[in-house]
Amino acid sequence: MASISLQNVTKRFGDVTVVEDLDLELEHGQFTVLVGPSGCGKTTTLRMIAGLEETSGGRILVGDVDVTGLEPKDRDIAMVFQNYALYGHLSVRRNIGFPLKARGVAKEEIDLRVTEVAESLSLTHLLERLPGQLSGGQQQRVAIGRAIIRQPKAFLFDEPLSNLDAKLRLEMRTELLRLQRQLGVTAVFVTHDQEEAMTLSDKVVVMRDGRVAQQGTPASVYAEPADTFVAAFVGSPTMNLLPGEVADGVFRSATPGLVLPTEGMVPGPVILGLRPEDALLTPGGSDGTIDLVELLGPRAIVRVRCAEIALTTVVEGSALAGITEGATVGVQARPGSLHAFDPDTQQRR
Amino acid sequence: MTGSRKISQWLTNALLIFAVFMVGGPFLWVLLGSFKTEQAINNPLQLLFVPTLENWSIVIEGGSFTRFGILSAQVLPPAVLVFPFLAMAYALRLNDTLVAVTVAHISLVLPVVTWFLIGFFEAVPKEIEEQAQVDGLGRFAAFRAVVLPQVAPGLGAAAVFGFVLSWNDLFYALILAPGNAKTLPVAIAGFNTFRGVQLGAMCAAILVSVVPVLIASFFVQRRLVRGISGGSLKY
């Protein structure tokens, strides 16, 4: 196990800079998630750590070793690909044992370790099958087994859950987290799904256009997004971002419709951030009409229209009485929950 | 020259020019089109335009240029290629040997088989090779250990295909090795003598020549089906 350190790492494809001057510390034993929209450079970053992509500048350290110029095979890092990349012509047993065989480990030792790993992943009864005869979830477990068998310095995961159906994805997410805690390994996980990022990570790195937009614990990124991009990207449903102006301790939206009291907010133009769960539908405040109610079970996403402003709110199941489409409600913000962003720089104030 | 001959000459020329235009016109249009932008290409009559190399760079960077380049020899009729081969064979004193036929057949079979195999290799996801590299193999070792086995059915099919192509060729073999080193098709053609065709003997020889092809196809077909159904994996 080891920490991974990226220092001023840059990647260019021709004239296009995909990753620019990236500095990242991925700490020993931590589960770090790189998250961002498509094309933000997260997968390229992962591939550079694995050695599958050469860097155009900067250094990559695994532990104290500079691995920047090393072949993937010499980095001692395991990787799980999005499509699992199982060897279709080899049995599950030989797939899992492959990294050991490639390193010339004795056959008896390989057999022993494969048996151990297969047991820990409930794959024992499938060992003689070919990957083509397995379900998606089973293939996923084989890919994980192949990654953990040689106890590498770090694990890299490239969107490994995105090919699974919703139920299995949740199960595998829990299993991955349990496995990582149990083995105490350094893990880097790439996803475009912010919910996956929030639930899995010790540390989340939000990327945008090849740069780090923000990094920190999931709770801190959620509570204090650094700019409007992170604010809109992290959290589901998306944060309401409302341009307007603060004057005399009150926020007035630029498009008329919403007036909210603000405590201690600097007067002047602002982009106000309001998380859907912090928008309260109670009597008083601005008037709104309920456009749409999407029931999720324990809670509902409620779209409210305040004059010309469309607002997304989340209402707990217990408070849903009287929340029906077409009903008139009052809209208020939970005290102390407002986020303020600079309209020019989009940065948090 | 009389007046009527002049007219007929003139008509012939006009017809020839018309024919050349009919054949050459589309080529000219394609040639011009390859240098036109997307907007300009929609107007076939537009002869004046600012030429662009964008289309060519797409073809070359996309790899299809190399791909078609491999097949370029196939565009020429065999008759164009066989005489240089014969001249070289004479110069190297290899005429009427199987070496000359083999070399000529390689030039014929290799591009076709390469073309045939491109699809098989492209069907193997790049991640398989990368996974093997991460798992501890070098680039070539990864290719040998995980990519080649995946395309084994394709290699088998290509082998039979190439074998049949070479086995059945009459033209190159007849010109490069008509005497002592003649191949089966040349020998079979030999039953057509100046005394007439020895049909019975020819039939027997044809059957003999078919047997190896059948045997090879049989073995490869079994492997092909097993390979495709057994190891297949959806990526």
Side-chain angles (χ1 to χ4, degrees):
Chain A
M1 305 308 145
S3 61
I4 299 173
S5 166
L6 282 78
Q7 300 173 353
N8 308 102
V9 171
T10 298
K11 177 68 189 174
R12 280 180 228 102
F13 291 109
D15 297 337
V16 185
T17 304
V18 186
V19 173
E20 195 165 5
D21 223 0
L22 191 70
D23 278 309
L24 266 185
E25 288 295 328
L26 312 171
E27 277 124 61
H28 168 86
Q30 273 202 348
F31 204 120
T32 306
V33 177
L34 306 183
V35 66
S38 317
C40 72
K42 54 191 191 300
T43 294
T44 307
T45 304
L46 197 75
R47 289 171 59 82
M48 283 194 286
I49 299 173
L52 296 170
E53 214 73 73
E54 280 179 28
T55 55
S56 312
R59 299 202 311 158
I60 299 175
L61 301 167
V62 175
D64 300 326
V65 186
D66 186 341
V67 300
T68 318
L70 292 185
E71 292 281 307
K73 69 182 170 75
D74 301 322
R75 297 194 180 198
D76 197 13
I77 285 175
M79 184 158 171
V80 176
F81 285 85
Q82 183 171 5
N83 60 13
Y84 321 136
L86 298 180
Y87 309 126
H89 63 295
L90 298 179
S91 64
V92 169
R93 179 187 296 282
R94 292 178 64 193
N95 259 284
I96 297 178
F98 192 92
L100 297 183
K101 188 161 181 251
R103 286 176 162 71
V105 176
K107 195 178 171 302
E108 297 74 36
E109 166 91 19
I110 297 179
D111 282 345
L112 202 70
R113 297 262 287 278
V114 169
T115 312
E116 270 173 31
V117 168
E119 255 169 44
S120 76
L121 291 166
S122 323
L123 286 170
T124 311
H125 61 298
L126 302 172
L127 278 177
E128 305 313 322
R129 296 221 193 147
L130 288 174
Q133 300 163 323
L134 303 180
S135 69
Q138 290 165 340
Q139 289 184 12
Q140 164 80 281
R141 291 217 297 276
V142 175
I144 292 173
R146 186 174 55 185
I148 63 178
I149 193 161
R150 69 182 156 97
Q151 295 154 349
K153 290 195 182 117
F155 289 142
L156 309 179
F157 297 96
D158 186 9
E159 308 213 23
L161 305 180
S162 57
N163 284 5
L164 302 175
D165 63 57
K167 184 168 172 282
L168 202 54
R169 195 178 318 158
L170 286 183
E171 281 175 29
M172 286 311 298
R173 199 161 82 184
T174 315
E175 182 144 346
L176 262 185
L177 200 56
R178 182 184 62 78
L179 205 66
Q180 192 269 341
R181 295 282 188 266
Q182 189 185 322
L183 301 172
V185 293
T186 310
V188 188
F189 189 103
V190 158
T191 179
H192 62 268
D193 179 345
Q194 58 87 29
E195 192 183 303
E196 221 165 82
M198 301 300 272
T199 45
L200 281 172
S201 60
D202 294 313
K203 172 175 170 178
V204 60
V205 178
V206 185
M207 289 186 69
R208 180 199 194 185
D209 299 337
R211 290 170 173 275
V212 174
Q214 189 175 4
Q215 52 179 313
T217 62
S220 70
V221 171
Y222 188 78
E224 295 192 357
D227 56 24
T228 50
F229 169 78
V230 178
F233 190 79
V234 174
S236 174
T238 309
M239 183 191 271
N240 298 291
L241 290 169
L242 310 156
E245 186 144 10
V246 175
D248 307 326
V250 174
F251 166 82
R252 285 189 174 74
S253 54
T255 324
L258 202 62
V259 179
L260 295 168
T262 55
E263 290 159 26
M265 213 176 264
V266 187
V270 72
I271 294 177
L272 193 81
L274 177 61
R275 290 250 179 240
E277 63 272 23
D278 293 330
L280 306 175
L281 303 183
T282 49
S286 304
D287 289 337
T289 313
I290 294 175
D291 254 357
L292 199 65
V293 179
E294 300 167 46
L295 192 65
L296 301 177
R299 64 189 72 85
I301 299 172
V302 180
R303 317 274 178 189
V304 183
R305 182 160 291 283
C306 300
E308 287 168 40
I309 290 187
L311 211 60
T312 307
T313 69
V314 170
V315 178
E316 290 302 318
S318 56
L320 270 174
I323 305 289
T324 49
E325 287 167 18
T328 311
V329 287
V331 179
Q332 292 189 21
R334 197 184 300 281
S337 70
L338 294 175
H339 305 259
F341 302 97
D342 189 301
D344 297 325
T345 63
Q346 308 283 314
Q347 296 293 312
R348 184 183 189 81
R349 271 193 190 149
Chain B
M1 203 181 276
T2 64
S4 66
R5 279 192 73 176
K6 232 180 195 172
I7 290 172
S8 124
Q9 187 72 45
W10 189 83
L11 266 178
T12 310
N13 283 345
L15 267 175
L16 278 174
I17 289 168
F18 177 71
V20 165
F21 184 77
M22 288 303 282
V23 175
F27 272 108
L28 182 69
W29 185 78
V30 169
L31 180 73
L32 290 177
S34 75
F35 291 103
K36 281 184 173 182
T37 59
E38 221 163 310
Q39 286 85 21
I41 207 165
N42 287 319
N43 182 3
L45 295 177
Q46 187 184 347
L47 292 177
L48 290 175
F49 56 91
V50 182
T52 169
L53 284 175
E54 197 186 330
N55 302 314
W56 285 92
S57 67
I58 290 171
V59 172
I60 292 166
E61 277 171 24
S64 39
F65 192 75
T66 334
R67 217 180 268 192
F68 283 107
I70 294 172
L71 277 185
S72 60
Q74 307 295 314
V75 174
L76 300 173
V80 174
L81 293 174
V82 76
F83 289 104
F85 273 125
L86 187 62
M88 281 190 278
Y90 263 107
L92 296 169
R93 298 182 190 284
L94 287 172
N95 55 309
D96 206 8
T97 64
L98 280 181
V99 177
V101 181
T102 307
V103 172
H105 279 187
I106 286 175
S107 80
L108 166 85
V109 172
L110 200 62
V112 178
V113 168
T114 307
W115 181 263
F116 181 86
L117 281 173
I118 286 173
F120 282 92
F121 278 101
E122 278 183 348
V124 180
K126 200 177 65 180
E127 285 87 351
I128 295 275
E129 205 175 340
E130 293 179 340
Q131 179 74 58
Q133 284 176 262
V134 172
D135 281 347
L137 295 181
R139 240 190 130 166
F140 184 71
F143 174 77
R144 209 188 51 200
V146 300
V147 179
L148 275 187
Q150 306 261 348
V151 297
L155 288 175
V160 169
F161 186 49
F163 170 69
V164 170
L165 218 57
S166 175
W167 184 255
N168 288 343
D169 169 71
L170 173 66
F171 186 73
Y172 284 99
L174 185 64
I175 290 173
L176 296 173
N180 298 326
K182 62 182 151 200
T183 63
L184 255 178
V186 178
I188 292 170
F191 289 113
N192 183 2
T193 64
F194 61 93
R195 288 194 301 273
V197 183
Q198 293 172 270
L199 268 180
M202 195 182 249
C203 288
I206 287 172
L207 282 180
V208 169
S209 78
V210 167
V211 171
V213 178
L214 280 180
I215 292 174
S217 308
F218 175 72
F219 279 110
V220 168
Q221 186 222 9
R222 279 182 57 181
R223 278 210 55 160
L224 194 72
V225 172
R226 213 178 44 205
I228 288 173
S229 59
S232 69
L233 192 53
K234 200 177 72 189
Y235 295 105

